[in-house]
Amino acid sequence: MSDYFKNRPSKCNSEYTSPDQVILCPDNNQSMYCHLLCGLSQRENVVGVRATFAHALIKALNALQIYWKELSSNIRSGHVSEWITDINCRNSVSAILGGPDPELADLVERECSNNSWEGIITRLWPKAKYIECIVTGQMAQYIPTLEFYSNKLPIVSMIYGSSESIFGVNVNPLSKPQDVSYTFLPNISYFEFLPVDHEEDMNSIVDLVDVKLGCCYETVVTSYFGLHRYLVGDILQVTGFYNKTPQFRFVRRKNTVLTVNSETTTEEDILKGIARATLVLESSNSMLMGFTCYADISTFPGHYVFYWELKAKDVNDVVELDEKVLAECCYALEESFDSLYKRLRSKEGSVGALEIRVVQQGTFDSLMEYFISKGGSSAQYKTPMCINSSEALAVLEDKVLARFYSEKSPPLN
Ligand code: AMP
């Protein structure tokens, strides 16, 4: 919404298939529909598919699945649907459609009516060479789904930043998601680093030039906008240097830990577990569309509960909840946690079997709407990896379809 964006040099206008009127439209649904319509009608010009966070791309693909018939009918007639009432959107998108295009409408119908949506991105936008969105940290959970929809196009995770400041850029855009590091931009804000395990001691803080290879830190930023020594809450690890500028791997958010006893399961452990469990899930007909978890201490012993939203790989299929596969997924999650978790779970019995609660489709959209109603921004929304709020848990509990547990304890290592 900034004047800087609105008045940016005109050469940038060709960067997007959507006109500014669509990008700036305050109604998220109308804006999403028009983005898709503009993207489809200019399919020949699309060389990359982008959003800031991977989550937004998954949302766009879900919207495409809902609206493709209506979109292709708009393309066929050259007429934008009546429910697009934002007049700036209507006028600018009508101009882009330019008139009826039955040939393109046929193509969209042909591709989208195919039961399998594997590679749908490359089928609709054949000149797309890459997907660009953040897939590190919490967004890593969406990598398998994006690979499925894009026939494994390279996923470029370009930037690490926040509302407060940009922190770093990825100078090796084609590196694999798991190998991405961000090179900090020393001229953009003033960065300091608090070594992990010295969180209480602000005297141990070091400057960007003094960080050590392999060590983990929490970033502290002083920005030109007047934030002084703001603790970002992200834990980063130094992985190398670009010339002399340190590069960092995003490890996890600081306070995201699950615990029911004396163990601490970090965001990194959870993400490792999810990566392992999604491999198990590949043997079934479903994909993981969203997850979150919490430590349930209302049972004895306490146990971890994961909420999973699943979707069938083939569009017209329904998700089959295979008890064996989902119990295996519970086991794969537990196998990824640390040795203390495994000991408490297997030997001492003071942590109960991990539980996956499969929720109805659309549950994570409802969760997002709940957080947005509390003041969150939809473009920057990230599903919280762990949930504490009882109101948010109630949104999920309302939609539980089935529960699954690990059948065996994880091995001790
Ligand atoms: P926000 O200010 O709401 O946009 O959120 C900023 C937060 O998003 C950061 O502090 C990180 O936790 C997360 N984030 C942003 N960029 C990345 C990235 N490239 N990889 C992992 N997490 C990221």
Side-chain angles (χ1 to χ4, degrees), residues 15 41 47 54 62 77 99 146 158 201 206 224 227-229 232 238 263 306 319 328 360 402:
E15 259 190 318
S41 65
V47 291
N62 284 343
S77 63
L146 284 177
M158 272 315 286
D201 178 11
V206 295
Y224 291 118
L227 278 170
H228 297 285
R229 296 192 118 190
V232 177
V238 183
E263 88 292 357
F306 278 71
V319 175
E328 244 341 277
Q360 291 165 18

Side-chain angles (χ1 to χ4, degrees), residues 280-281 283-286 308 310 318-330 356 358 402-405 407:
V280 176
L281 200 61
S283 64
S284 73
N285 81 333
S286 45
W308 275 23
L310 299 174
V318 281
V319 175
E320 283 160 23
L321 296 179
D322 183 326
E323 197 159 351
K324 211 160 154 247
V325 171
L326 281 150
E328 244 341 277
C329 289
C330 294
I356 290 180
V358 176
R403 295 157 186 250
F404 300 90
Y405 295 89
E407 282 168 354

Side-chain angles (χ1 to χ4, degrees), residues 53 134-139 157-164 167 182 232-234 250 252-253 380-382:
F53 290 105
I134 292 169
V135 282
T136 41
Q138 197 173 338
M139 295 294 139
S157 196
M158 272 315 286
I159 206 154
Y160 166 49
S162 72
S163 315
E164 291 73 33
F167 303 135
Y182 299 97
V232 177
D234 294 339
F250 183 94
R252 61 180 168 89
R253 289 285 301 165
Q380 285 167 277
Y381 178 75
K382 302 156 206 84

Side-chain angles (χ1 to χ4, degrees), residues 57-81:
L57 276 189
I58 300 290
K59 257 193 91 67
L61 287 157
N62 284 343
L64 183 62
Q65 241 167 49
I66 295 169
Y67 291 122
W68 65 264
K69 283 190 185 140
E70 189 175 336
L71 289 161
S72 75
S73 136
N74 287 186
I75 293 169
R76 189 176 300 287
S77 63
H79 204 86
V80 182
S81 290

